[in-house]
Amino acid sequence: MTHKQIVTRYEGNPILTKDDIPYKVETVHNAGVAKFAGKYMMLFRSHLDNGRSIIGLAESDDGFNFTARPELFMTPAADGVFAEYEAFGVEDPRVNVVEGQYYITYSAYSKHGVRIGLAKTTDFQTVERIAFITQADYRNTVIFGEKINGRYAKLDRPHSDISPWSIWISYSEDLKYWGDSQVVMKPVPYHWDEMKIGPGAPPIKTDRGWLNIYHGVFPTMDGCVYRLGVCLHKLDDPAVILGVGDRWILQPEDPWEITGYVHNVVFTCAAVPEEDGTLKLYWGGADKVMCAGTANIEELVDFCLKDTRPPM
Ligand code: BMA
């Protein structure tokens, strides 16, 4: 099997665009998706025509045909600490199903930088903000679906000049206060993910480890190319990476992935595991539309373990 076949694109892509939204937006992309009460709930990011982002909601019975609700789901908070740190927009939500509860991790932008907010929904109508769970220069936080050795665990992507855009793990007893952080994976020079990597979909538990579908960025003379890859974290110690697939599993190929708001981008915030051993993968195409595909979970795990590269 070649890397081109491991993810099968849905024939009806793109599955959601700005033309499907009952209010005015410029883009529909980088959505978190989870199953809730028998439906697929999609929290999607949209740029407004001032360049800032808000989050809308669409729902589906089959995971491919989505209908957007007329109401917005999340806009920058109006007051308090959340207003201070979300003033420039809310972006790239992940829906983390943790012990049956729905936690949303989102990028909050402001004049202070970008940091990660944690919110919760019990009904996909209302959203309750809980806390900011990182400082600035963090994006792409995903939370493991259960406590591991008595603590919650999250992956995210801090940035520093000395160690650019790498994946770190940290732990918490209450989802609010996090610590014991350490780096687990870094970009590899002259490789498809040499410039930046970041967690994508919330990790999926398998018999052989936690499957992490991440994004990797390669700089070119024509700008950056965003692709997706996979790695596998040890079940009882997710700071240990058992394997990183050496090749990407998805790259921009369809016209709406190559051209859009930002060209040459496939970017994921969601993968939904199904009972038949497949998963539905969701990605933003060129920061403008939502796309979907399917993959076999065991094949993705094999991909992590068979032709691997070191995590750092
Ligand atoms: C990243 C984030 C993502 C976006 C990607 C490609 O830095 O801004 O939301 O999809 O760039 O533009």
Side-chain angles (χ1 to χ4, degrees), residues 23 43-46 48 53-57 71-77 82 86 89-94 104-108 117-121 125-132:
Y23 43 88
L43 300 184
F44 59 87
R45 169 181 171 194
S46 287
L48 303 174
S53 294
I54 47 100
I55 295 171
L57 192 153
E71 316 84 43
L72 288 168
F73 185 73
M74 211 172 166
T75 56
F82 291 100
E86 292 175 10
V90 286
E91 305 189 356
D92 297 4
R94 272 78 175 178
I104 300 153
T105 43
Y106 62 97
S107 299
L118 176 70
K120 187 178 181 183
T121 186
Q125 314 255 6
T126 54
V127 61
E128 174 203 348
R129 284 167 171 82
I130 298 172
F132 288 109

Side-chain angles (χ1 to χ4, degrees), residues 29-30 45 91-92 109 139-140 157 196 215 226 262 265 267 287:
H29 66 300
N30 298 3
R45 169 181 171 194
E91 305 189 356
D92 297 4
Y109 276 80
R139 284 178 44 88
N140 309 314
R157 194 283 288 140
K196 308 182 186 193
H215 66 260
Y226 276 72
V262 178
V265 177
F267 189 98
D287 283 0

Side-chain angles (χ1 to χ4, degrees), residues 83-105:
E84 178 75 14
Y85 290 97
E86 292 175 10
F88 292 179
V90 286
E91 305 189 356
D92 297 4
R94 272 78 175 178
V95 185
N96 305 273
V97 188
V98 183
E99 295 170 339
Q101 305 289 309
Y102 294 83
Y103 290 97
I104 300 153
T105 43

Side-chain angles (χ1 to χ4, degrees), residues 128-150:
E128 174 203 348
R129 284 167 171 82
I130 298 172
F132 288 109
I133 55 171
T134 72
Q135 294 162 297
D137 270 341
Y138 281 73
R139 284 178 44 88
N140 309 314
T141 294
V142 295
I143 304 175
F144 289 81
E146 62 194 57
K147 282 185 173 168
I148 302 167
N149 301 317

